[in-house]
Structures are given as C-alpha cells and as structure tokens.
Short mmCIF file of all heavy atoms in Angstrom, two decimals:
data_model
loop_
_atom_site.label_atom_id
_atom_site.label_comp_id
_atom_site.label_asym_id
_atom_site.label_seq_id
_atom_site.Cartn_x
_atom_site.Cartn_y
_atom_site.Cartn_z
N TYR A 89 -5.84 -2.19 24.74
CA TYR A 89 -5.99 -0.75 24.97
C TYR A 89 -5.08 0.02 24.01
O TYR A 89 -4.00 -0.45 23.65
CB TYR A 89 -5.62 -0.39 26.41
CG TYR A 89 -6.55 -0.94 27.46
CD1 TYR A 89 -6.38 -2.23 27.95
CD2 TYR A 89 -7.60 -0.18 27.95
CE1 TYR A 89 -7.23 -2.74 28.93
CE2 TYR A 89 -8.45 -0.69 28.93
CZ TYR A 89 -8.26 -1.96 29.41
OH TYR A 89 -9.11 -2.47 30.38
N GLY A 90 -5.51 1.22 23.64
CA GLY A 90 -4.70 2.04 22.73
C GLY A 90 -4.41 1.27 21.45
O GLY A 90 -5.28 0.59 20.89
N ASN A 91 -3.16 1.36 21.00
CA ASN A 91 -2.74 0.64 19.80
C ASN A 91 -1.99 -0.65 20.12
O ASN A 91 -1.39 -1.25 19.23
CB ASN A 91 -1.84 1.54 18.93
CG ASN A 91 -2.60 2.72 18.36
OD1 ASN A 91 -3.77 2.60 18.02
ND2 ASN A 91 -1.94 3.86 18.25
N THR A 92 -2.01 -1.05 21.39
CA THR A 92 -1.31 -2.28 21.77
C THR A 92 -2.05 -3.50 21.22
O THR A 92 -3.28 -3.55 21.23
CB THR A 92 -1.18 -2.38 23.30
OG1 THR A 92 -0.37 -1.29 23.76
CG2 THR A 92 -0.54 -3.69 23.72
N THR A 93 -1.29 -4.47 20.76
CA THR A 93 -1.86 -5.69 20.19
C THR A 93 -2.81 -6.35 21.19
O THR A 93 -2.42 -6.63 22.33
CB THR A 93 -0.73 -6.68 19.84
OG1 THR A 93 0.20 -6.04 18.96
CG2 THR A 93 -1.31 -7.92 19.15
N PRO A 94 -4.05 -6.61 20.79
CA PRO A 94 -5.00 -7.22 21.73
C PRO A 94 -4.84 -8.73 21.83
O PRO A 94 -4.25 -9.37 20.97
CB PRO A 94 -6.36 -6.87 21.10
CG PRO A 94 -6.08 -6.82 19.63
CD PRO A 94 -4.68 -6.26 19.50
N PHE A 95 -5.37 -9.29 22.91
CA PHE A 95 -5.47 -10.73 23.06
C PHE A 95 -6.72 -11.23 22.34
O PHE A 95 -7.64 -10.46 22.04
CB PHE A 95 -5.61 -11.11 24.54
CG PHE A 95 -4.39 -10.89 25.37
CD1 PHE A 95 -4.43 -10.06 26.49
CD2 PHE A 95 -3.19 -11.53 25.08
CE1 PHE A 95 -3.32 -9.87 27.29
CE2 PHE A 95 -2.07 -11.35 25.87
CZ PHE A 95 -2.14 -10.51 26.97
N ALA A 96 -6.77 -12.54 22.12
CA ALA A 96 -8.05 -13.15 21.81
C ALA A 96 -8.95 -12.93 23.03
O ALA A 96 -8.47 -12.89 24.16
CB ALA A 96 -7.87 -14.65 21.55
N PRO A 97 -10.26 -12.74 22.83
CA PRO A 97 -11.15 -12.34 23.94
C PRO A 97 -10.99 -13.16 25.21
O PRO A 97 -10.93 -12.59 26.31
CB PRO A 97 -12.55 -12.49 23.33
CG PRO A 97 -12.35 -12.21 21.88
CD PRO A 97 -11.00 -12.79 21.54
N ALA A 98 -10.89 -14.47 25.10
CA ALA A 98 -10.82 -15.31 26.30
C ALA A 98 -9.47 -15.23 26.99
O ALA A 98 -9.34 -15.65 28.15
CB ALA A 98 -11.12 -16.76 25.93
N ASP A 99 -8.46 -14.69 26.32
CA ASP A 99 -7.10 -14.65 26.88
C ASP A 99 -6.79 -13.37 27.64
O ASP A 99 -5.68 -13.20 28.15
CB ASP A 99 -6.07 -14.83 25.76
CG ASP A 99 -6.04 -16.24 25.21
OD1 ASP A 99 -6.51 -17.15 25.91
OD2 ASP A 99 -5.55 -16.43 24.08
N ALA A 100 -7.74 -12.46 27.71
CA ALA A 100 -7.50 -11.17 28.37
C ALA A 100 -7.58 -11.33 29.89
O ALA A 100 -8.45 -10.77 30.56
CB ALA A 100 -8.49 -10.13 27.88
N THR A 101 -6.64 -12.10 30.44
CA THR A 101 -6.61 -12.39 31.87
C THR A 101 -5.41 -11.73 32.52
O THR A 101 -4.49 -11.25 31.84
CB THR A 101 -6.54 -13.90 32.11
OG1 THR A 101 -5.30 -14.40 31.57
CG2 THR A 101 -7.71 -14.62 31.46
N ILE A 102 -5.39 -11.73 33.84
CA ILE A 102 -4.25 -11.18 34.58
C ILE A 102 -2.98 -11.96 34.25
O ILE A 102 -1.93 -11.37 34.00
CB ILE A 102 -4.55 -11.21 36.08
CG1 ILE A 102 -5.70 -10.25 36.40
CG2 ILE A 102 -3.31 -10.86 36.91
CD1 ILE A 102 -6.31 -10.45 37.76
N ALA A 103 -3.06 -13.28 34.24
CA ALA A 103 -1.89 -14.11 33.98
C ALA A 103 -1.33 -13.89 32.59
O ALA A 103 -0.11 -13.78 32.40
CB ALA A 103 -2.24 -15.58 34.18
N LYS A 104 -2.21 -13.79 31.59
CA LYS A 104 -1.75 -13.57 30.21
C LYS A 104 -1.14 -12.19 30.05
O LYS A 104 -0.15 -12.00 29.34
CB LYS A 104 -2.92 -13.76 29.24
CG LYS A 104 -3.33 -15.21 29.01
CD LYS A 104 -2.28 -15.95 28.18
CE LYS A 104 -2.76 -17.34 27.81
NZ LYS A 104 -1.74 -18.08 27.00
N ASN A 105 -1.73 -11.18 30.71
CA ASN A 105 -1.15 -9.84 30.70
C ASN A 105 0.25 -9.86 31.29
O ASN A 105 1.17 -9.26 30.73
CB ASN A 105 -2.04 -8.88 31.49
CG ASN A 105 -3.05 -8.14 30.66
OD1 ASN A 105 -2.78 -7.05 30.15
ND2 ASN A 105 -4.23 -8.73 30.51
N ALA A 106 0.41 -10.54 32.41
CA ALA A 106 1.72 -10.59 33.07
C ALA A 106 2.76 -11.26 32.18
O ALA A 106 3.89 -10.78 32.05
CB ALA A 106 1.61 -11.32 34.40
N GLU A 107 2.39 -12.35 31.55
CA GLU A 107 3.32 -13.06 30.67
C GLU A 107 3.73 -12.20 29.49
O GLU A 107 4.92 -12.08 29.17
CB GLU A 107 2.65 -14.35 30.17
CG GLU A 107 3.50 -15.15 29.20
CD GLU A 107 2.78 -16.38 28.68
OE1 GLU A 107 1.64 -16.67 29.13
OE2 GLU A 107 3.34 -17.07 27.81
N CYS A 108 2.74 -11.58 28.85
CA CYS A 108 3.02 -10.74 27.68
C CYS A 108 3.86 -9.52 28.05
O CYS A 108 4.84 -9.19 27.37
CB CYS A 108 1.69 -10.31 27.06
SG CYS A 108 1.83 -9.15 25.69
N LEU A 109 3.50 -8.84 29.13
CA LEU A 109 4.20 -7.61 29.51
C LEU A 109 5.58 -7.89 30.09
O LEU A 109 6.49 -7.07 29.94
CB LEU A 109 3.35 -6.80 30.49
CG LEU A 109 2.04 -6.26 29.91
CD1 LEU A 109 1.26 -5.49 30.96
CD2 LEU A 109 2.30 -5.39 28.69
N ASP A 110 5.77 -9.02 30.71
CA ASP A 110 7.10 -9.42 31.16
C ASP A 110 8.06 -9.41 29.97
O ASP A 110 9.15 -8.81 30.03
CB ASP A 110 7.02 -10.81 31.79
CG ASP A 110 8.35 -11.30 32.37
OD1 ASP A 110 9.38 -10.60 32.24
OD2 ASP A 110 8.36 -12.39 32.95
N ASP A 111 7.67 -10.04 28.89
CA ASP A 111 8.53 -10.09 27.70
C ASP A 111 8.73 -8.70 27.11
O ASP A 111 9.85 -8.32 26.75
CB ASP A 111 7.91 -11.01 26.65
CG ASP A 111 7.93 -12.48 27.07
OD1 ASP A 111 8.73 -12.83 27.95
OD2 ASP A 111 7.13 -13.26 26.51
N ALA A 112 7.64 -7.93 26.99
CA ALA A 112 7.72 -6.60 26.38
C ALA A 112 8.58 -5.66 27.21
O ALA A 112 9.36 -4.87 26.67
CB ALA A 112 6.31 -6.02 26.20
N ILE A 113 8.46 -5.72 28.54
CA ILE A 113 9.24 -4.83 29.41
C ILE A 113 10.72 -5.18 29.32
O ILE A 113 11.59 -4.31 29.40
CB ILE A 113 8.72 -4.91 30.86
CG1 ILE A 113 7.33 -4.27 30.93
CG2 ILE A 113 9.67 -4.18 31.82
CD1 ILE A 113 6.60 -4.50 32.24
N GLY A 114 11.03 -6.46 29.14
CA GLY A 114 12.42 -6.83 28.90
C GLY A 114 12.97 -6.14 27.66
O GLY A 114 14.11 -5.67 27.65
N GLU A 115 12.15 -6.07 26.61
CA GLU A 115 12.55 -5.37 25.39
C GLU A 115 12.70 -3.87 25.65
O GLU A 115 13.62 -3.22 25.16
CB GLU A 115 11.52 -5.62 24.29
CG GLU A 115 11.42 -7.05 23.82
CD GLU A 115 12.48 -7.40 22.80
OE1 GLU A 115 13.09 -6.48 22.23
OE2 GLU A 115 12.70 -8.61 22.58
N ILE A 116 11.77 -3.31 26.42
CA ILE A 116 11.84 -1.88 26.75
C ILE A 116 13.12 -1.58 27.51
O ILE A 116 13.82 -0.58 27.23
CB ILE A 116 10.61 -1.46 27.60
CG1 ILE A 116 9.34 -1.49 26.75
CG2 ILE A 116 10.82 -0.07 28.20
CD1 ILE A 116 8.07 -1.27 27.55
N TRP A 117 13.46 -2.42 28.48
CA TRP A 117 14.68 -2.21 29.25
C TRP A 117 15.91 -2.22 28.35
O TRP A 117 16.79 -1.37 28.47
CB TRP A 117 14.80 -3.25 30.35
CG TRP A 117 16.12 -3.19 31.07
CD1 TRP A 117 17.16 -4.07 31.00
CD2 TRP A 117 16.56 -2.14 31.95
NE1 TRP A 117 18.20 -3.66 31.78
CE2 TRP A 117 17.86 -2.47 32.38
CE3 TRP A 117 15.96 -0.97 32.42
CZ2 TRP A 117 18.59 -1.67 33.25
CZ3 TRP A 117 16.69 -0.17 33.30
CH2 TRP A 117 17.97 -0.52 33.70
N GLY A 118 15.98 -3.17 27.44
CA GLY A 118 17.13 -3.25 26.55
C GLY A 118 17.24 -2.04 25.64
O GLY A 118 18.34 -1.62 25.28
N ARG A 119 16.11 -1.45 25.30
CA ARG A 119 16.09 -0.33 24.36
C ARG A 119 16.24 1.01 25.06
O ARG A 119 16.86 1.94 24.53
CB ARG A 119 14.79 -0.37 23.56
CG ARG A 119 14.79 0.42 22.28
CD ARG A 119 13.50 0.19 21.50
NE ARG A 119 13.29 -1.23 21.18
CZ ARG A 119 12.22 -1.68 20.51
NH1 ARG A 119 11.29 -0.84 20.11
NH2 ARG A 119 12.11 -2.98 20.28
N TYR A 120 15.64 1.16 26.25
CA TYR A 120 15.54 2.47 26.89
C TYR A 120 16.05 2.53 28.33
O TYR A 120 15.87 3.52 29.02
CB TYR A 120 14.09 2.96 26.86
CG TYR A 120 13.56 3.16 25.47
CD1 TYR A 120 12.46 2.43 25.02
CD2 TYR A 120 14.16 4.07 24.60
CE1 TYR A 120 11.97 2.61 23.74
CE2 TYR A 120 13.67 4.25 23.33
CZ TYR A 120 12.58 3.52 22.89
OH TYR A 120 12.10 3.69 21.62
N GLY A 121 16.66 1.46 28.80
CA GLY A 121 17.11 1.45 30.19
C GLY A 121 18.19 2.45 30.49
O GLY A 121 18.25 3.00 31.60
N GLY A 122 19.05 2.73 29.53
CA GLY A 122 20.10 3.71 29.73
C GLY A 122 20.94 3.40 30.95
O GLY A 122 21.36 2.27 31.17
N LYS A 123 21.17 4.40 31.80
CA LYS A 123 21.98 4.24 33.01
C LYS A 123 21.15 4.03 34.27
O LYS A 123 21.68 4.09 35.38
CB LYS A 123 22.90 5.45 33.18
CG LYS A 123 23.93 5.61 32.06
CD LYS A 123 24.83 6.81 32.30
CE LYS A 123 25.87 6.95 31.19
NZ LYS A 123 26.76 8.12 31.41
N ALA A 124 19.85 3.81 34.09
CA ALA A 124 18.99 3.57 35.25
C ALA A 124 19.44 2.35 36.03
O ALA A 124 20.00 1.40 35.46
CB ALA A 124 17.54 3.40 34.80
N ARG A 125 19.21 2.34 37.34
CA ARG A 125 19.57 1.19 38.17
C ARG A 125 18.73 -0.04 37.80
O ARG A 125 19.15 -1.18 37.98
CB ARG A 125 19.34 1.51 39.64
CG ARG A 125 20.25 2.59 40.20
CD ARG A 125 21.68 2.09 40.33
NE ARG A 125 22.50 3.10 40.98
CZ ARG A 125 23.83 3.08 40.96
NH1 ARG A 125 24.47 2.11 40.31
NH2 ARG A 125 24.51 4.02 41.57
N GLY A 126 17.53 0.20 37.36
CA GLY A 126 16.61 -0.87 37.02
C GLY A 126 15.22 -0.29 36.85
O GLY A 126 15.05 0.92 36.69
N ILE A 127 14.22 -1.13 36.92
CA ILE A 127 12.83 -0.74 36.68
C ILE A 127 12.03 -0.81 37.98
O ILE A 127 12.17 -1.75 38.76
CB ILE A 127 12.19 -1.66 35.63
CG1 ILE A 127 12.78 -1.36 34.24
CG2 ILE A 127 10.68 -1.53 35.61
CD1 ILE A 127 12.34 -2.33 33.16
N VAL A 128 11.19 0.18 38.19
CA VAL A 128 10.17 0.14 39.23
C VAL A 128 8.82 0.16 38.53
O VAL A 128 8.56 1.04 37.70
CB VAL A 128 10.28 1.32 40.21
CG1 VAL A 128 9.06 1.36 41.14
CG2 VAL A 128 11.55 1.21 41.04
N LEU A 129 7.98 -0.82 38.82
CA LEU A 129 6.64 -0.89 38.25
C LEU A 129 5.66 -0.19 39.18
O LEU A 129 5.68 -0.39 40.40
CB LEU A 129 6.21 -2.34 38.06
CG LEU A 129 7.03 -3.22 37.12
CD1 LEU A 129 6.45 -4.63 37.08
CD2 LEU A 129 7.08 -2.63 35.72
N ILE A 130 4.78 0.62 38.60
CA ILE A 130 3.68 1.23 39.33
C ILE A 130 2.40 0.73 38.68
O ILE A 130 2.17 0.94 37.49
CB ILE A 130 3.74 2.76 39.29
CG1 ILE A 130 4.95 3.26 40.09
CG2 ILE A 130 2.45 3.37 39.84
CD1 ILE A 130 5.11 4.77 40.11
#
C-alpha cells in the first residue's frame, strides 16, 4: 500500500505483515518514541 515496499504476491499474509511491521515499528520507536511511555497499536 502507498509507497511501502510490497511483498512478493504469495507472501502478502497476516503472519508476514506482522513479522515485517514488528521490525519496522521497532525502528520507528527508536527514531520517534521520544518521551512516550510506549506504543499503543490501533
């Protein structure tokens, strides 16, 4: 979606999304977490 790097067609699963976004959100937290207590996912 958008400009986010796509998966190979067969890999666009819930499990693969979770694995990929787990890593990316860790990077987001390190870059933009600031003084927040932590992350809430919606």
Side-chain angles (χ1 to χ4, degrees):
Y89 293 85
N91 293 325
T92 297
T93 305
F95 290 122
D99 288 340
T101 63
I102 294 165
K104 285 288 187 180
N105 267 270
E107 178 183 355
C108 175
L109 294 179
D110 183 357
D111 292 340
I113 291 170
E115 295 278 344
I116 290 173
W117 173 252
R119 199 174 302 180
Y120 297 119
K123 296 181 179 180
R125 294 289 185 196
I127 288 172
V128 171
L129 299 179
I130 293 180

